[in-house]
Amino acid sequence: MAASPHSPNSTFRRLRGQHSPAEFAALVRRAAKEIGETVSCDARYIGRVESGEIRCPNYAYERVFRHMFPGRALADLGFSPRESVRGRSAQRDPSPSSSSAKESDVLRRAFMAGGSATVAAATLSLTLLGDTRRLPSRAGESEADAVEDAVRQIRLLDDRHGADALYRRAAEPLRTAYALLDAGATRQSTEDRLHSGAGELAVSVGWLAHDSGRFDDARSHYAEALATARVARDPGLEAHAFSNMAFLARDCGRSREAVRAAQAGRRAARSLGSPRLLSLLALREAGGWAGLGDRRACEEALTRAHTDFSRGESDADPEWMSFFGQAELESLEARCWSSLGEHARAARHARRAADLQDPHFARNVALYTAELAGDLARAGAPDEAAWAGGRVLDLLAEVQSTRVRSMLSETAGTLVPHQRSPRVGAFLTRHAAV
């Protein structure tokens, strides 16, 4: 029987079995990867399900749970029917916090989108919580939920469509999150969640700026996230901010700054117990050393990255690291070898990255393939580069990323001397039209 609005979901608790909430959350994330879905499940989410706070999961979680428990309907998992939670009957719930919950649900819906970045952008513009006049005098759990859900939905939309159509509209919920933080919370635990959520939202919006070529905006958002982490004494958020700051510094040509930011991130992350996070930060450091032309230091950092990565996933891995798998590791290593001028070696890693990436995440497929095209062009393989560039052009109808387009334009410039090749000529013609 499905759980009532205020009763624990004992059915779901039985399904968890002997696993701890954190262990079960890791199983949920792993199942999501198997079907190409993105969820940011943690022990807190499992607790909210089992307490009955989450009466019905969103569609992404529903697909994952059905994959984990084949043949079971939502009711068989202890959930209430979706129409009773989101339909007319739910609106008649006389709960004292219904007004606050309704406003927070607006923020959640603002990040739910359909099949294109255009639809996503239009949906984002509906965010009513962006109007600070509608904010509660003190933030509660529903506002903290809304901020955390906004972070997850930005990441989901970016994975599928790229940043260009999302950035400006995503900045509005960020202002709202900090307005909520400034208003204060009803409980200290809620205020802690708001600090972490607002900081993660600043990183996410900073990434949208970064990926769409707005480097000054990205730097500002990352600095805001770092300041929030320091105020809240949140080492996980601090490591995340430093990771992105290192990435941005590398893209801006400030290689020594990239090294120092990555090293600072590793210091912050040491107490967190996540080898995968340490691996990513080692890769960020390797990219900085490569930019400085220091091959030995780069190789040492790459060795640390592979060693930490080989230790496998951990319950301590942050939610935001769901993107970091073997494909991303190959891609980041490819960029190191490319910076060191070893383009054939870089192309081998970029090809592995493109082959390993789940096609569900179109932006990353486009990014890795664009890297492959550039490395092949500089390695003296123009026909193969043109083929890879053509694959990227196929994806640009779905992906809106200034970063990917810029990389493809550089590749086209490199291929101009080879335009007499039929394959290269066809790619250049098509690229010019796009």
Side-chain angles (χ1 to χ4, degrees):
M1 179 179 294
S4 67
H6 304 290
S7 66
N9 187 337
S10 56
T11 302
F12 198 88
R13 173 62 189 90
R14 287 194 297 273
L15 290 171
R16 174 159 65 86
Q18 298 301 311
H19 296 290
S20 70
E23 291 169 341
F24 193 74
L27 293 177
V28 173
R29 296 195 300 271
R30 190 171 300 120
K33 288 182 179 180
E34 291 172 0
I35 62 173
E37 192 55 78
T38 298
V39 297
S40 301
C41 189
D42 59 4
R44 182 190 297 141
Y45 180 88
I46 299 301
R48 291 172 63 203
V49 169
E50 293 179 359
S51 71
E53 180 184 348
I54 296 178
R55 297 163 55 197
C56 184
N58 67 29
Y59 289 106
Y61 275 104
E62 179 181 350
R63 286 189 289 271
V64 176
F65 293 150
R66 285 179 180 274
H67 174 65
M68 294 177 70
F69 305 105
R72 296 181 186 245
L74 284 178
D76 300 326
L77 303 177
F79 292 110
S80 300
R82 191 175 302 281
E83 59 273 14
S84 72
V85 177
R86 303 191 184 277
R88 296 181 182 274
S89 60
Q91 296 174 7
R92 292 193 291 268
D93 184 355
S95 168
S97 61
S98 61
S99 176
S100 175
K102 188 183 298 183
E103 288 188 351
S104 297
D105 194 50
V106 171
L107 182 55
R108 293 189 192 95
R109 291 199 309 272
F111 288 91
M112 298 300 293
S116 72
T118 302
V119 174
T123 309
L124 283 168
S125 68
L126 298 177
T127 308
L128 298 182
L129 271 179
D131 183 354
T132 55
R133 293 171 297 181
R134 298 173 59 90
L135 296 179
S137 58
R138 303 281 281 179
E141 292 295 305
S142 58
E143 283 73 34
D145 289 343
V147 173
E148 291 169 352
D149 284 351
V151 174
R152 294 177 181 120
Q153 292 304 328
I154 283 179
R155 291 172 185 161
L156 177 63
L157 291 169
D158 175 53
D159 281 339
R160 292 179 177 174
H161 305 298
D164 287 14
L166 305 177
Y167 170 60
R168 294 197 182 280
R169 292 167 179 83
E172 193 67 35
L174 178 60
R175 286 191 287 271
T176 300
Y178 276 94
L180 288 167
L181 196 57
D182 190 55
T186 54
R187 293 187 296 180
Q188 184 60 47
S189 60
T190 304
E191 187 160 330
D192 292 341
R193 287 180 63 194
L194 281 173
H195 266 102
S196 295
E200 288 293 344
L201 192 54
V203 173
S204 294
V205 176
W207 166 247
L208 296 179
H210 183 170
D211 194 46
S212 56
R214 301 173 174 92
F215 290 168
D216 289 342
D217 288 353
R219 189 177 181 87
S220 175
H221 290 308
Y222 292 159
E224 187 172 37
L226 181 59
T228 304
R230 294 279 175 80
V231 168
R233 297 182 180 180
D234 185 337
L237 176 57
E238 184 174 346
H240 192 185
F242 273 128
S243 174
N244 279 46
M245 292 172 82
F247 193 6
L248 176 64
R250 177 197 173 280
D251 282 355
C252 292
R254 296 192 294 267
S255 299
R256 196 165 299 280
E257 180 183 325
V259 170
R260 297 184 67 178
Q263 291 172 339
R266 280 179 67 86
R267 287 194 294 272
R270 281 173 185 160
S271 64
L272 300 177
S274 171
R276 286 289 169 92
L277 177 55
L278 293 174
S279 175
L280 175 61
L281 288 160
L283 286 163
R284 299 287 192 229
E285 182 182 344
W289 288 123
L292 291 169
D294 192 331
R295 181 189 178 99
R296 179 177 177 181
C298 176
E299 289 182 334
E300 289 175 352
L302 286 174
T303 298
R304 291 198 304 273
H306 281 279
T307 298
D308 288 331
F309 189 89
S310 68
R311 293 173 181 163
E313 295 181 338
S314 163
D315 291 343
D317 293 342
E319 287 187 42
W320 58 268
M321 286 195 65
S322 58
F323 76 96
F324 184 59
Q326 187 69 41
E328 181 71 9
L329 184 147
E330 295 287 351
S331 171
L332 293 177
E333 183 165 354
R335 293 173 210 172
C336 291
W337 295 120
S338 183
S339 294
L340 290 169
E342 296 196 25
H343 299 298
R345 188 171 186 176
R348 289 196 293 273
H349 287 282
R351 190 186 300 277
R352 283 201 287 269
D355 289 344
L356 288 168
Q357 181 58 56
D358 190 313
H360 183 76
F361 302 110
R363 187 193 66 84
N364 276 3
V365 174
L367 174 65
Y368 300 157
T369 310
E371 290 173 346
L372 172 61
D375 289 325
L376 287 170
R378 289 186 287 273
D383 283 350
E384 289 186 73
W387 168 81
R391 287 191 62 195
V392 179
L393 289 174
D394 292 339
L395 292 165
L396 287 182
E398 183 178 354
V399 175
Q400 297 187 29
S401 170
T402 296
R403 188 159 164 247
V404 171
R405 290 178 180 274
S406 296
M407 293 168 65
L408 201 59
S409 293
E410 290 180 12
T411 299
T414 304
L415 290 177
V416 167
H418 306 279
Q419 58 188 315
R420 291 185 178 179
S421 162
R423 178 173 286 179
V424 173
F427 164 71
L428 292 175
T429 299
R430 190 177 168 202
H431 177 265
V434 171

